[in-house]
């Protein structure tokens, strides 16, 4: 059903280190607002995509991931603007609140799986959007909330100023956030927990007969995804310094799904990063073209083509993996039997 | 008690949700997937209908409206039904072959939403188009009035439902469809090509959606994004009626349309909220809906 990628054959540690180093020094070469804001937004969407893929690994198809971004964003904005809390506690609370709501929803909803779960999460996402739109007293409706920029931090004589128009601190904080999320999701993916998730997706009945409590692991995946998606939403809100109900609707949930498919669901971290960056960058540049709606057309076409020609959810990340193995590895290691590919790392 | 107009509006909505939900359930019962692109076939049907009607008018055919209206509907049904067959052949069939989970075909139909909306936006423009002058006039009854457009919607739905009943229960194709829905393996042992049945069913389902879009075109403005809401609502109708049951789709459509209209009369914008909540509760308490089979 899903092939899983062994990271050791995909990217050695040195290459990961070099990549992280490259991303860290990007602001040295360019402080262009457009480039950096594209990278920041891609990173934020990538975190949401990681959450989606984690839920997908338990065999469930969530259609309401953008709603958790909205919850996180609204939580942080309401806490700072309406309740006048300082920025950092409210940012942390946003993730916690989103996670708690995900836990509650998961406990109630994950009893029904499969297509019913998709529809319930869809309905949940729409409910969040409608509430945000019409609870004018708290959320200011479609006018949206405008959170103040995070306060300046003085760190060892260094002034980190989150003022508008200066994307560099936002960029570094995004890198930090993505690094933490990647680390957590990567560890989940390769740990016993990730194996359990995979067993749920591959054969639910067999997993249940092995003594695996389905509900428990589904809820764990859903909650972890909820926490990080909430952080992503809170940070996106503060980066754009606005949140409106229309920013995180059903269509953004579908966009998250599309990013995950293009990147490849076989790898939680790599696929999410590649998919989000490729699609977000593409969409941003396509929207500059004078042809309206071409990004919708191309997004849809790309996803369908990826599904048809890079089948079973391997996506772009596996294309890269094949290339890597072909160039840098011995041929006999490249021709792995099907069983080892299917085996969970 | 809301006035009669509210009930009539609800009935008109019911008709559309019913037709669309019927097509979706038909596709689900054979292919085992929810076709999330259904709303976009509704939208494309409305556009084809618009161009058929306006072209007929521009070429000065001087057809009476009771000829050009059904003919345009048929045209939109055939064109979009053909498109649906193409989608099933090119995309869905390849992704439902053994070894694939349901996830990928769901993802593909979701992505096709964007594809068709983008294509429609690029080729027809993003502005609203109106067809309000196609069926002018209002039928005055003593205490209330109905516009002819809404009467057309209701008559269309009756015709569609009766003809679908006849097709499914009185023809060989219908027999094949029912057999394939019940037990695909056994059906193929009796010489029914399940692949061909799924093509036929996809064509019928998409044609139904397209004709629903066409018949609604004079009532609502036409734009590339008009398919989103009817799709979600017909999905809710399917849930209320029970996934996989054709009777359920019809009853669910009626319930949902009337509920939406009546709740909106009392709490205006909160009606969608109430409906989504209702659907969540139904899914939690009785996931198989009113008429559905128990979940496997």
């Amino acid at each position: 059903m899903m092939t899983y990628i062994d990271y050791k054959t995909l990217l050695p540690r040195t290459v990961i280190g070099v990549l992280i180093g490259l991303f860290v020094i990007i602001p040295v070469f360019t402080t262009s607002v457009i480039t950096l804001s594209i990278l920041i937004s891609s990173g934020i969407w990538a975190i949401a995509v990681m959450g989606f893929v984690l839920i997908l690994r338990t065999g469930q198809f969530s259609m309401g991931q953008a709603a958790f971004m909205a919850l996180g964003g609204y939580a942080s904005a309401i806490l700072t603007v309406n309740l006048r809390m300082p920025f950092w506690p409210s940012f942390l609370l946003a993730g916690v609140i989103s996670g708690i709501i995900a836990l509650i929803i998961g406990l109630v909803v994950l009893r029904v799986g499969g297509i019913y779960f998709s529809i319930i999460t869809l309905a949940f996402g729409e409910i969040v959007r409608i509430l945000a739109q019409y609870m004018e007293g708290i959320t200011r409706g479609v006018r949206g909330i405008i959170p103040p920029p995070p306060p300046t931090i003085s760190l060892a004589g260094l002034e980190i100023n989150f003022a508008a128009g200066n994307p560099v601190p936002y960029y570094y904080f995004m890198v930090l956030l993505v690094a933490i999320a990647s680390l957590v999701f990567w560890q989940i993916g390769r740990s016993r927990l990730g194996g359990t998730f995979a067993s749920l997706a591959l054969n639910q009945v067999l997993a249940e007969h092995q003594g695996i409590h389905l509900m428990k692991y589904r809820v764990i995946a859903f909650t972890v995804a909820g926490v990080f998606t909430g952080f992503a939403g809170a940070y996106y809100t503060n980066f754009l310094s606005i949140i409106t109900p229309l920013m995180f609707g059903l269509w953004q949930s579908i966009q998250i799904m599309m990013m995950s498919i293009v990147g490849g669901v076989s790898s939680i971290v790599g696929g999410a990063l590649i998919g989000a960056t490729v699609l977000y960058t593409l969409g941003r540049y396509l929207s500059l073209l004078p042809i309206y709606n071409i990004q919708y057309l191309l997004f849809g076409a790309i996803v369908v083509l990826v599904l048809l020609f890079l089948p079973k959810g391997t996506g772009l990340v596996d294309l890269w993996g094949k290339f890597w193995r072909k160039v840098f590895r011995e041929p006999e290691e490249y021709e792995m039997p099907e069983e080892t590919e299917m085996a969970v790392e | 008690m809301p006035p009669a107009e509210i009930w009539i509006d609800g009935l008109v909505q019911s008709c559309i949700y019913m037709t669309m939900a019927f097509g979706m359930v038909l596709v689900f019962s054979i292919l085992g997937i929810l076709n999330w692109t259904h709303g976009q076939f509704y939208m494309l049907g409305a556009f084809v209908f618009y161009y058929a009607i306006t072209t007929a008018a521009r070429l000065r055919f001087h057809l009476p409206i009771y000829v050009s209206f059904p003919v345009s509907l048929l045209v939109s049904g055939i064109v979009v039904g053909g498109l649906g067959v193409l989608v099933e052949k090119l995309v869905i069939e390849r992704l439902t072959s053994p070894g694939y989970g349901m996830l990928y075909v769901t993802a593909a139909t979701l992505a096709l939403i964007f594809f068709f909306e983008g294509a429609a936006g690029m080729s027809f423009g993003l502005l609203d188009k109106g067809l309000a002058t196609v069926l002018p006039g209002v039928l005055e009854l003593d205490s209330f009035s109905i516009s002819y457009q809404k009467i057309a919607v209701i008559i269309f739905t009756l015709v569609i439902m009766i003809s679908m009943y006849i097709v499914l229960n009185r023809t060989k194709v219908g027999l094949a469809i029912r057999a394939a829905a019940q037990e695909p393996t056994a059906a193929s042992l009796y010489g029914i090509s399940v692949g061909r049945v799924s093509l036929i069913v996809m064509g019928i389902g998409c044609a139904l959606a397209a004709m629903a879009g066409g018949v609604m075109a004079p009532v609502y403005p036409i734009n590339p994004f008009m398919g989103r809401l009817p799709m979600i609502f017909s999905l809710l109708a399917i849930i209320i009626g029970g996934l996989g049951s054709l009777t359920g789709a019809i009853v669910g459509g009626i319930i949902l349309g009337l509920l939406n209209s009546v709740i909106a009369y009392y709490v205006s914008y909160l009606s969608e909220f109430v409906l989504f909540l209702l659907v969540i509760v139904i899914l939690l308490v009785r996931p198989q809906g009113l008429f559905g089979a128990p979940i496997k």
Side-chain angles (χ1 to χ4, degrees), chain B residues 22-284:
Chain B
F22 193 87
M24 274 175 112
V25 169
L26 207 58
V27 173
F28 179 81
S29 60
I30 301 288
L31 277 78
I33 56 153
L34 272 185
N35 177 19
W36 294 88
T37 329
H38 219 68
Q40 278 56 49
F41 290 118
Y42 169 91
M43 176 268 295
L44 290 173
F47 270 110
V48 174
F49 178 80
Y50 173 84
Y51 282 107
I53 283 262
T54 47
T55 313
R58 201 180 317 121
L59 296 180
R60 298 179 201 287
F61 283 166
H62 294 298
L63 292 173
I65 189 66
Y66 54 83
V67 177
S68 69
F69 195 88
V71 168
S72 304
L73 269 187
L74 267 184
V75 168
S76 82
I78 290 167
V79 170
V80 179
L83 191 68
V85 170
L86 214 61
V87 165
E88 138 79 25
K89 191 80 190 161
L90 291 181
V91 180
I92 296 176
E93 196 181 83
R94 294 192 190 189
L95 292 177
T96 40
S97 47
Y100 284 86
M102 282 292 100
L103 305 175
Y104 302 120
V105 73
T106 310
T109 51
L110 282 170
L112 283 174
I113 295 179
F114 279 79
F115 179 77
F116 283 126
E117 280 184 354
M122 280 171 71
S123 37
F124 308 129
L126 299 175
L127 294 178
D128 279 355
K129 292 182 178 12
L131 266 183
T133 51
V134 167
L135 270 180
V138 170
L139 181 68
E140 292 283 350
L141 299 172
D142 41 324
S143 64
F144 59 95
S145 53
I146 318 175
S147 69
Y148 286 127
Q149 296 162 354
K150 289 176 182 168
I151 296 178
V153 174
I154 294 168
I155 292 175
F156 156 79
T157 312
L158 281 179
V159 171
I160 284 290
M161 285 304 145
I162 292 169
S163 50
M164 282 318 295
Y165 179 82
I166 292 171
V167 166
L168 283 179
N169 290 309
R170 295 277 183 276
T171 64
K172 276 207 155 168
V173 179
L175 190 66
I177 292 175
R178 282 184 295 143
Q182 213 168 46
E183 198 58 70
T185 324
S188 58
L189 281 178
Y190 279 93
I192 296 168
S193 161
V194 179
R196 191 174 297 165
V197 166
S198 28
L199 283 182
I200 292 172
V201 158
M202 189 72 183
I204 292 177
C206 296
L208 286 186
M211 288 195 275
V215 82
M216 277 308 263
V219 184
Y220 289 142
I222 310 171
N223 63 48
F225 308 105
M226 65 185 282
R228 294 181 169 186
L229 211 58
M231 194 272 288
I232 295 175
F233 272 98
S234 45
L235 200 63
L236 301 190
I238 291 174
I239 297 303
I240 292 177
L243 193 53
S245 150
L246 290 173
T247 336
I250 294 171
V251 177
I254 293 177
I255 293 176
L256 193 88
L258 291 179
L259 264 187
N260 188 21
S261 187
V262 172
I263 297 175
Y265 175 72
Y266 289 111
V267 291
S268 67
Y269 52 77
L270 277 180
S271 74
E272 279 183 38
F273 174 72
V274 175
L275 287 177
F276 281 121
L277 215 56
L278 177 77
V279 164
I280 289 185
V281 170
I282 286 179
L283 276 179
L284 292 176

Side-chain angles (χ1 to χ4, degrees), chain A residues 291-329:
Chain A
I291 313 165
Y292 296 115
N293 270 19
I294 191 169
Q295 71 265 41
Y296 287 119
L297 181 87
L298 280 182
F299 273 29
I302 289 171
V303 173
V304 173
L305 289 179
V306 164
L307 280 168
L308 287 179
F309 294 110
L310 299 171
K312 305 199 178 180
T314 43
L316 291 179
V317 68
D318 196 45
L319 210 61
W320 159 259
K322 275 189 185 134
F323 167 77
W324 182 261
R325 271 172 268 168
K326 204 159 210 166
V327 176
F328 293 101
R329 292 280 162 150

Side-chain angles (χ1 to χ4, degrees), chain A residues 196-272:
Chain A
T196 317
F197 289 162
S199 73
L200 297 190
L202 286 173
N203 195 336
Q204 191 178 317
V205 181
L206 185 61
E208 207 166 10
H209 283 253
Q210 296 280 330
I212 294 171
H213 195 284
L214 290 184
M215 260 296 275
K216 185 174 137 199
Y217 288 97
R218 284 178 184 170
V219 170
I220 289 175
F222 198 61
T223 313
V224 172
V227 170
F228 280 97
T229 316
F231 277 132
Y235 193 55
Y236 202 47
T237 304
N238 281 294
F239 169 59
L240 298 179
S241 61
I242 187 164
I243 180 161
T244 67
L246 304 177
M247 268 165 57
F248 304 114
L250 172 60
W251 310 101
Q252 279 70 27
S253 299
I254 297 179
Q255 199 173 313
I256 291 175
M257 179 282 295
M258 293 166 108
M259 287 170 174
S260 79
I261 294 292
V262 170
V265 293
S266 46
S267 141
I268 295 187
V269 175

